[in-house]
Amino acid sequence: MAATISFIIWMLFITDTVLTRSVRQVSDPEDWTVHHDFDCPRECFCPPSFPTALYCENRGLKEIPAIPSRIWYLYLENNLIETIPEKPFENATQLRWINLNKNKITNYGIEKGALSQLKKLLFLFLEDNELEEVPSPLPRSLEQLQLARNKVSRIPQGTFSNLENLTLLDLQHNKLVDNAFQRDTFKGLKNLMQLNMAKNALRNMPPRLPANTMQLFLDNNSIEVIPENYFNVIPKVAFLRLNHNKLSDAGLPSSGFDVSSILDLQLSYNQLTKVPRISPHLQHLHLDHNKIQSVNVSVICPTSSALPAEHDSFGYGPHLRYLRLDGNDIKPPIPMDLMTCFRLLQAVII
């Protein structure tokens, strides 16, 4: 129980690091300067109790209004905006957060310099638009870039080269294929921790990922092969999701997923016929809806001389807590040693 609580606390710490590190910076009292300039665009709402925020969402806007200089948080989601020109932002030097989700923005509609001039911007939301490539240039200060559900199929050379502060990049549900990447595509993302490229059209693993990547989400692609030693370049990866791909036993590296940093491994809805090799540090393993017919007990519960004598033959190795094997071809009866192994885990679905 103590180990499980420690794992949950560790996960919460990681999530907090990726998702809210910059929020703490934004609300630093030493940086908080409220200007007593309460001009407000007539199309928007400016709450007196939150003078650094400007709410312009759900207004049917076709253009971005002039943003007052006091604004840190700008909400423009769910409008009809097609362009991002420089002029509305010429006084908005304090912006930290822009939400432009659910508009009609295209790459041609983004004026060069409109975004890069925002030297303090930390969060940029452009989900559910009409983008066909990752916009560039972007401000060096940026920490989160959310581009889900666009039409992105291209990443121009050097797009990420100056984004060393970016910790989260969300490109899920786009039109990325393998030739969208060069070997240096992700060069410059020195602090990237979470990369989401689920629901694209990838057949191969993306090349040369940033070394600090801890969360890698590649669900719902068509990935068939993981190259030998692929995980050597991302030695900190802890959460790996490859559900709904086309992975087979032959497409895995010889060492499988025996990577000490991986704590949560999701391989549901693939074409595996056996349980791949895993690390003794792994805590959550999802193998449901594959083609597995039998389970090698030594893979799930490897022998360990450090365990009590009554566990010596099946080992319990020593961190796996959760295992999903439902939706496979495992036929009863389940061998006694495997049942004993399962009892040592905290949750098994079979």
Side-chain angles (χ1 to χ4, degrees):
M1 179 62 71
T4 301
I5 293 173
S6 298
F7 173 61
I8 293 171
I9 292 173
W10 190 89
M11 285 184 67
L12 291 173
F13 170 75
I14 291 299
T15 304
D16 180 69
T17 300
V18 173
L19 298 181
T20 65
R21 185 184 72 172
S22 298
V23 173
R24 289 197 294 271
Q25 294 174 351
V26 167
S27 58
D28 187 343
E30 294 182 3
D31 290 339
W32 192 274
T33 303
V34 177
H35 299 280
H36 299 287
D37 170 19
F38 286 93
D39 58 311
C40 185
R42 60 186 177 84
E43 308 95 328
C44 307
F45 172 61
C46 302
S49 60
F50 195 9
T52 57
L54 181 62
Y55 292 91
C56 311
E57 75 274 30
N58 306 307
R59 308 286 170 125
L61 298 181
K62 294 185 177 180
E63 297 180 348
I64 298 174
I67 311 302
S69 60
R70 71 174 188 278
I71 298 303
W72 286 34
Y73 306 95
L74 176 59
Y75 299 89
L76 285 160
E77 64 269 28
N78 201 23
N79 281 292
L80 303 171
I81 296 168
E82 297 181 2
T83 62
I84 305 178
E86 283 191 54
K87 188 170 178 57
F89 298 101
E90 60 186 3
N91 294 318
T93 57
Q94 300 300 313
L95 274 174
R96 267 66 166 179
W97 173 296
I98 299 177
N99 190 334
L100 277 160
N101 291 345
K102 296 185 178 180
N103 278 282
K104 298 180 179 298
I105 297 166
T106 65
N107 290 95
Y108 298 108
I110 303 176
E111 187 174 354
K112 189 173 183 178
L115 296 172
S116 60
Q117 68 176 329
L118 304 174
K119 304 299 184 185
K120 295 184 179 181
L121 189 65
L122 301 175
F123 298 85
L124 179 58
F125 298 82
L126 284 166
E127 298 177 347
D128 297 286
N129 277 280
E130 303 292 329
L131 299 173
E132 295 183 357
E133 62 182 44
V134 178
S136 180
L138 294 169
R140 185 182 297 270
S141 56
L142 203 63
E143 293 195 358
Q144 290 194 25
L145 179 59
Q146 308 266 4
L147 298 173
R149 294 175 299 279
N150 276 274
K151 300 176 181 179
V152 174
S153 62
R154 299 185 301 275
I155 303 175
Q157 187 82 20
T159 295
F160 301 127
S161 60
N162 71 326
L163 299 184
E164 64 267 19
N165 294 306
L166 200 71
T167 60
L168 184 150
L169 175 59
D170 190 348
L171 285 164
Q172 66 174 305
H173 215 302
N174 277 283
K175 295 185 177 183
L176 291 169
V177 296
D178 297 329
N179 64 12
F181 307 109
Q182 307 297 321
R183 284 188 60 81
D184 61 350
T185 293
F186 299 102
K187 185 177 181 180
L189 298 178
K190 298 177 181 178
N191 290 296
L192 191 71
M193 297 174 67
Q194 184 184 112
L195 178 59
N196 191 341
M197 290 191 290
K199 295 187 177 180
N200 279 279
L202 304 179
R203 296 176 63 89
N204 295 292
M205 300 290 283
R208 301 296 298 180
L209 296 181
N212 284 318
T213 303
M214 300 182 72
Q215 302 177 21
L216 178 59
F217 305 144
L218 294 167
D219 313 80
N220 294 92
N221 280 282
S222 298
I223 296 171
E224 300 177 354
V225 176
I226 300 175
E228 201 72 30
N229 302 318
Y230 181 83
F231 300 107
N232 289 359
V233 298
I234 45 173
K236 297 181 181 180
V237 63
F239 303 91
L240 179 61
R241 292 200 329 224
L242 283 158
N243 303 317
H244 292 275
N245 277 283
K246 296 182 179 180
L247 289 170
S248 64
D249 303 328
L252 302 185
S254 58
S255 59
F257 296 92
D258 189 0
V259 180
S260 62
S261 61
I262 298 179
L263 301 176
D264 188 288
L265 176 60
Q266 300 189 21
L267 297 167
S268 305
Y269 292 92
N270 278 280
Q271 299 172 12
L272 302 175
T273 64
K274 60 183 180 181
V275 177
R277 185 176 169 186
I278 59 174
S279 163
H281 298 279
L282 188 68
Q283 299 195 7
H284 287 192
L285 177 59
H286 298 246
L287 288 169
D288 54 288
H289 298 91
N290 276 274
K291 299 179 179 180
I292 298 171
Q293 296 183 355
S294 62
V295 179
N296 185 339
V297 66
S298 66
V299 175
I300 302 299
C301 295
T303 303
S304 172
S305 59
L307 294 166
E310 63 268 24
H311 293 168
D312 199 33
S313 61
F314 31 77
Y316 179 55
H319 293 291
L320 190 64
R321 308 296 185 197
Y322 180 90
L323 174 64
R324 279 198 67 173
L325 283 167
D326 52 305
N328 281 286
D329 298 325
I330 301 173
K331 301 291 191 297
I334 297 174
M336 184 60 67
D337 60 345
L338 189 57
M339 286 298 297
T340 306
C341 166
F342 286 164
R343 291 191 190 102
L344 294 170
L345 309 182
Q346 293 186 357
V348 178
I349 304 175
I350 188 169

